Amino acid sequence: ALFQGLRTPEAAQWCAENFHKKLLPRLAEKIHVYKTEELQEILEATLSELDTEVMKSAFPFSGCSALLALLLGNRLIVAGVGDCRVLLLEGEGKASSASRLLDCEGHLEDEEEQ
């Protein structure tokens, strides 16, 4: 998990300290094999719940970009909000061999206008 604070670090710090409390119970609901789509939904629901709680907290004007990655067997599932990008470097880890897995762009100006 990666959380980058916006304006102030409080929201990112809170998310970093609490995301596992939201994610692990969801993963524990089903012990057997998950479909990749189900895992994607779990990560997205976790991010949504974190957002809801940050907005109710003492620091709603702080914010953060968030990225969650889950490696389960041979599957890598990622979800993010805000400004974040995930690249998978293959082989010798050179940028020319990168595969884009996720590209999110959050713009504070756009969100404030809505």
Side-chain angles (χ1 to χ4, degrees), residues 27-100:
L27 290 174
E29 287 176 5
K30 184 176 172 184
I31 297 173
H32 301 288
V33 177
Y34 277 101
K35 293 180 183 175
T36 301
E37 297 80 21
E38 292 173 314
L39 293 168
Q40 184 72 39
E41 290 171 7
I42 287 172
L43 292 183
E44 291 170 0
T46 299
L47 289 172
S48 179
E49 188 175 354
L50 288 171
D51 180 58
T52 298
E53 291 200 22
V54 165
M55 293 306 293
K56 293 178 183 177
S57 72
F59 39 85
F61 297 107
S62 176
C64 69
S65 294
L67 173 67
L68 297 179
L70 177 63
L71 181 60
L72 190 60
N74 63 351
R75 296 180 291 171
L76 176 63
I77 299 93
V78 295
V81 293
D83 284 331
C84 58
R85 178 175 292 149
V86 177
L87 299 175
L88 178 62
L89 300 177
E90 300 176 37
E92 302 203 11
K94 296 184 181 182
S96 62
S97 65
S99 300
R100 185 173 290 180

Side-chain angles (χ1 to χ4, degrees), residues 4-38:
Q4 173 66 45
L6 305 172
R7 295 186 188 99
T8 64
E10 287 87 0
Q13 183 68 35
W14 185 87
C15 288
E17 292 172 355
N18 290 282
F19 84 93
H20 65 284
K21 297 174 187 175
K22 311 297 178 193
L23 177 61
L24 294 179
R26 284 187 167 91
L27 290 174
E29 287 176 5
K30 184 176 172 184
I31 297 173
H32 301 288
V33 177
Y34 277 101
K35 293 180 183 175
T36 301
E37 297 80 21
E38 292 173 314

